Protein backbone atom coordinates (compact mmCIF):
# COMPACT_ATOMS: atom_id res chain seq x y z
CA UNK A 1 0.00 0.00 0.00
CA UNK A 2 1.30 3.48 -0.82
CA UNK A 3 2.12 5.64 2.19
CA UNK A 4 -1.02 7.30 3.53
CA UNK A 5 -0.62 11.08 3.49
CA UNK A 6 -4.27 12.14 3.75
CA UNK A 7 -7.62 10.86 4.99
CA UNK A 8 -10.88 12.09 3.49
CA UNK A 9 -14.15 11.61 5.35
CA UNK A 10 -17.77 11.62 4.35
CA UNK A 11 -19.99 13.38 6.90
CA UNK A 12 -23.34 11.64 7.33
CA UNK A 13 -22.93 8.15 8.77
CA UNK A 14 -19.17 8.54 9.23
CA UNK A 15 -18.64 11.58 11.47
CA UNK A 16 -22.21 11.97 12.71
CA UNK A 17 -25.51 10.23 12.09
CA UNK A 18 -27.80 12.83 10.56
CA UNK A 19 -29.62 10.26 8.42
CA UNK A 20 -32.54 10.27 10.85
CA UNK A 21 -32.97 14.03 10.36
CA UNK A 22 -32.79 13.72 6.58
CA UNK A 23 -35.40 10.98 6.71
CA UNK A 24 -37.76 12.98 8.93
CA UNK A 25 -37.47 16.02 6.65
CA UNK A 26 -37.96 14.03 3.43
CA UNK A 27 -40.86 12.10 4.94
CA UNK A 28 -42.51 15.34 6.02
CA UNK A 29 -42.19 16.62 2.44
CA UNK A 30 -43.59 13.37 1.04
CA UNK A 31 -46.55 13.56 3.41
CA UNK A 32 -47.13 17.14 2.31
CA UNK A 33 -47.30 15.90 -1.29
CA UNK A 34 -49.77 13.14 -0.40
CA UNK A 35 -47.71 9.98 0.08
CA UNK A 36 -45.41 8.31 2.59
CA UNK A 37 -41.68 7.55 2.52
CA UNK A 38 -40.44 4.38 4.19
CA UNK A 39 -37.06 3.85 5.84
CA UNK A 40 -36.22 1.35 3.10
CA UNK A 41 -36.97 3.91 0.40
CA UNK A 42 -34.89 6.48 2.30
CA UNK A 43 -31.82 4.26 1.75
CA UNK A 44 -31.93 5.34 -1.92
CA UNK A 45 -31.16 8.91 -0.87
CA UNK A 46 -27.89 8.26 0.94
CA UNK A 47 -24.76 9.92 -0.41
CA UNK A 48 -26.41 11.91 -3.19
CA UNK A 49 -27.28 15.58 -3.64
CA UNK A 50 -30.44 17.32 -2.46
CA UNK A 51 -31.91 17.78 -5.95
CA UNK A 52 -31.12 14.19 -6.96
CA UNK A 53 -32.79 13.04 -3.74
CA UNK A 54 -35.85 15.14 -4.52
CA UNK A 55 -36.16 13.54 -7.96
CA UNK A 56 -36.11 10.09 -6.34
CA UNK A 57 -38.71 11.08 -3.75
CA UNK A 58 -40.97 12.53 -6.43
CA UNK A 59 -40.55 9.35 -8.47
CA UNK A 60 -41.58 7.23 -5.48
CA UNK A 61 -44.74 9.29 -5.08
CA UNK A 62 -45.43 9.60 -8.79
CA UNK A 63 -45.50 13.39 -8.39
CA UNK A 64 -44.59 15.78 -11.20
CA UNK A 65 -43.49 19.33 -10.39
CA UNK A 66 -42.19 22.31 -12.33
CA UNK A 67 -38.57 23.30 -11.88
CA UNK A 68 -39.68 26.28 -9.83
CA UNK A 69 -41.75 24.03 -7.53
CA UNK A 70 -38.84 21.61 -7.16
CA UNK A 71 -36.55 24.40 -5.96
CA UNK A 72 -39.23 25.58 -3.54
CA UNK A 73 -39.79 22.13 -2.02
CA UNK A 74 -36.05 21.38 -1.85
CA UNK A 75 -35.52 24.63 0.06
CA UNK A 76 -38.39 23.78 2.43
CA UNK A 77 -36.92 20.32 3.06
CA UNK A 78 -33.52 21.82 3.80
CA UNK A 79 -34.97 24.39 6.18
CA UNK A 80 -36.74 21.62 8.10
CA UNK A 81 -33.55 19.52 8.12
CA UNK A 82 -31.56 22.44 9.54
CA UNK A 83 -34.16 22.87 12.28
CA UNK A 84 -33.59 19.23 13.25
CA UNK A 85 -29.80 19.71 13.04
CA UNK A 86 -29.95 22.49 15.64
CA UNK A 87 -30.34 19.66 18.15
CA UNK A 88 -26.82 18.36 17.32
CA UNK A 89 -24.18 18.79 20.04
CA UNK A 90 -20.53 17.62 20.36
CA UNK A 91 -21.84 14.47 22.05
CA UNK A 92 -23.48 13.42 18.77
CA UNK A 93 -20.14 12.66 17.05
CA UNK A 94 -20.05 8.94 16.32
CA UNK A 95 -18.08 6.85 18.84
CA UNK A 96 -14.30 6.91 18.39
CA UNK A 97 -14.17 9.32 15.46
CA UNK A 98 -12.82 12.26 17.48
CA UNK A 99 -10.02 10.09 18.93
CA UNK A 100 -9.19 8.82 15.44
CA UNK A 101 -8.96 12.38 14.09
CA UNK A 102 -6.77 13.36 17.04
CA UNK A 103 -4.39 10.52 16.15
CA UNK A 104 -4.24 11.62 12.52
CA UNK A 105 -3.31 15.15 13.59
CA UNK A 106 -0.61 13.82 15.91
CA UNK A 107 0.77 11.78 13.02
CA UNK A 108 0.79 14.82 10.69
CA UNK A 109 -1.63 13.13 8.31
CA UNK A 110 -3.78 15.65 6.45
CA UNK A 111 -7.54 15.48 6.77
CA UNK A 112 -10.42 16.56 4.57
CA UNK A 113 -14.19 16.29 4.42
CA UNK A 114 -15.95 15.26 1.21
CA UNK A 115 -19.72 15.46 1.44
CA UNK A 116 -22.70 16.15 -0.81
CA UNK A 117 -24.23 18.12 2.07
CA UNK A 118 -24.45 21.89 1.68
CA UNK A 119 -24.72 22.14 5.45
CA UNK A 120 -21.43 20.44 6.34
CA UNK A 121 -19.82 23.46 8.00
CA UNK A 122 -22.91 24.17 10.09
CA UNK A 123 -23.05 20.58 11.32
CA UNK A 124 -19.30 20.45 12.05
CA UNK A 125 -19.61 23.71 13.98
CA UNK A 126 -22.42 22.22 16.10
CA UNK A 127 -20.22 19.18 16.71
CA UNK A 128 -17.26 21.46 17.61
CA UNK A 129 -15.22 19.63 14.96
CA UNK A 130 -14.69 22.24 12.25
CA UNK A 131 -11.00 22.71 13.10
CA UNK A 132 -10.24 19.02 12.62
CA UNK A 133 -10.34 19.36 8.83
CA UNK A 134 -7.67 20.95 6.67
CA UNK A 135 -10.17 21.28 3.81
CA UNK A 136 -13.90 20.91 3.31
CA UNK A 137 -15.40 20.03 -0.05
CA UNK A 138 -19.17 20.05 0.24
CA UNK A 139 -22.23 20.52 -1.93
CA UNK A 140 -21.48 24.24 -2.18
CA UNK A 141 -18.24 23.47 -4.06
CA UNK A 142 -18.68 20.12 -5.78
CA UNK A 143 -20.90 20.13 -8.87
CA UNK A 144 -21.07 16.40 -9.59
CA UNK A 145 -22.42 13.92 -7.05
CA UNK A 146 -21.00 10.57 -6.01
CA UNK A 147 -20.25 7.99 -7.42
CA UNK A 148 -18.31 10.52 -9.50
CA UNK A 149 -14.97 11.07 -7.69
CA UNK A 150 -15.01 14.88 -8.03
CA UNK A 151 -15.58 15.65 -4.34
CA UNK A 152 -12.63 13.50 -3.23
CA UNK A 153 -10.31 14.56 -6.07
CA UNK A 154 -10.95 18.19 -5.14
CA UNK A 155 -10.12 17.35 -1.52
CA UNK A 156 -6.87 15.64 -2.50
CA UNK A 157 -5.94 18.61 -4.69
CA UNK A 158 -6.65 21.05 -1.84
CA UNK A 159 -4.35 19.02 0.40
CA UNK A 160 -1.64 18.67 -2.24
CA UNK A 161 -1.72 14.87 -2.00
CA UNK A 162 -1.84 12.39 -4.91
CA UNK A 163 -5.01 10.23 -4.94
CA UNK A 164 -3.09 6.99 -4.40
CA UNK A 165 -1.89 8.36 -1.06
CA UNK A 166 -5.44 9.08 0.17
CA UNK A 167 -7.78 6.92 2.25
CA UNK A 168 -11.50 7.66 2.01
CA UNK A 169 -13.97 6.77 4.78
CA UNK A 170 -17.52 6.23 3.51
CA UNK A 171 -20.75 4.59 4.63
CA UNK A 172 -22.49 4.62 1.24
CA UNK A 173 -21.97 2.40 -1.79
CA UNK A 174 -21.85 5.48 -4.05
CA UNK A 175 -19.15 6.97 -1.82
CA UNK A 176 -16.95 3.88 -1.98
CA UNK A 177 -17.41 3.82 -5.76
CA UNK A 178 -16.34 7.48 -5.88
CA UNK A 179 -13.22 6.74 -3.85
CA UNK A 180 -12.24 3.82 -6.08
CA UNK A 181 -12.99 5.79 -9.26
CA UNK A 182 -10.62 8.47 -7.98
CA UNK A 183 -7.81 5.95 -7.46
CA UNK A 184 -8.04 6.10 -3.67
CA UNK A 185 -8.26 3.48 -0.93
CA UNK A 186 -11.87 3.04 0.17
CA UNK A 187 -12.68 2.13 3.78
CA UNK A 188 -16.31 1.31 4.38
CA UNK A 189 -18.10 2.24 7.59
CA UNK A 190 -20.95 -0.23 7.99
CA UNK A 191 -21.61 -3.75 6.79
CA UNK A 192 -19.24 -5.72 4.57
CA UNK A 193 -22.22 -7.39 2.89
CA UNK A 194 -23.34 -3.97 1.63
CA UNK A 195 -20.02 -2.20 1.01
CA UNK A 196 -18.64 -4.98 -1.16
CA UNK A 197 -16.37 -2.72 -3.25
CA UNK A 198 -14.48 -1.31 -0.25
CA UNK A 199 -10.85 -2.26 0.37
CA UNK A 200 -11.70 -2.76 4.04
CA UNK A 201 -14.90 -2.48 6.07
CA UNK A 202 -15.35 -1.74 9.78
CA UNK A 203 -18.51 -1.01 11.79
CA UNK A 204 -17.14 2.31 13.07
CA UNK A 205 -14.15 4.02 14.67
CA UNK A 206 -14.80 2.94 18.24
CA UNK A 207 -11.64 1.24 19.52
CA UNK A 208 -9.84 1.60 16.17
CA UNK A 209 -6.35 3.13 16.15
CA UNK A 210 -4.73 4.69 13.10
CA UNK A 211 -1.79 2.26 13.24
CA UNK A 212 -4.00 -0.83 13.49
CA UNK A 213 -6.14 0.30 10.55
CA UNK A 214 -3.19 1.19 8.32
CA UNK A 215 -1.58 -2.17 9.14
CA UNK A 216 -4.76 -3.90 7.95
CA UNK A 217 -4.69 -1.95 4.70
CA UNK A 218 -1.18 -3.09 3.80
Amino acid sequence: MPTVQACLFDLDGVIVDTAKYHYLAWRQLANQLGFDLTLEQNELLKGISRMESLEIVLGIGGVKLSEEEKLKYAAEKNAQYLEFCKQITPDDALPGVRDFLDELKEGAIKTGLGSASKNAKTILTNLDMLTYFDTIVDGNRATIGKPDPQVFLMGAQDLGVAPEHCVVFEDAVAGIQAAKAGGMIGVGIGQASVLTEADYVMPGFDGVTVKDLFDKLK
Side-chain angles (χ1 to χ4, degrees), residues 47-48 52 144-150 173-182:
I48 60 175
E52 289 174 307
I144 311 171
K146 304 166 189 175
D148 189 276
Q150 184 195 48
V173 171
I176 292 294
Q177 290 171 340
K180 303 300 288 182

Side-chain angles (χ1 to χ4, degrees), residues 89-90 98 123-132:
T89 71
R98 204 181 295 268
I123 293 167
L124 288 174
T125 299
N126 290 349
L127 289 168
D128 194 22
M129 295 182 72
L130 190 62
T131 56
Y132 275 104

Side-chain angles (χ1 to χ4, degrees), residues 71-146:
L71 290 171
K72 169 181 170 286
Y73 280 115
E76 286 181 8
K77 180 268 170 183
N78 188 56
Q80 184 58 61
Y81 170 69
L82 287 175
E83 280 300 310
F84 290 135
C85 284
K86 286 180 181 177
Q87 303 170 32
I88 291 174
T89 71
D91 290 337
D92 288 313
L94 289 174
V97 70
R98 204 181 295 268
D99 291 338
F100 193 85
L101 285 162
D102 281 332
E103 273 194 76
L104 291 175
K105 289 294 185 188
E106 289 168 11
I109 294 171
K110 296 177 181 178
T111 54
L113 190 91
S115 170
S117 172
K118 290 187 175 183
N119 306 303
K121 288 184 179 179
T122 298
I123 293 167
L124 288 174
T125 299
N126 290 349
L127 289 168
D128 194 22
M129 295 182 72
L130 190 62
T131 56
Y132 275 104
F133 298 96
D134 300 309
T135 188
I136 293 173
V137 183
D138 60 13
N140 296 299
R141 291 183 60 194
T143 56
I144 311 171
K146 304 166 189 175

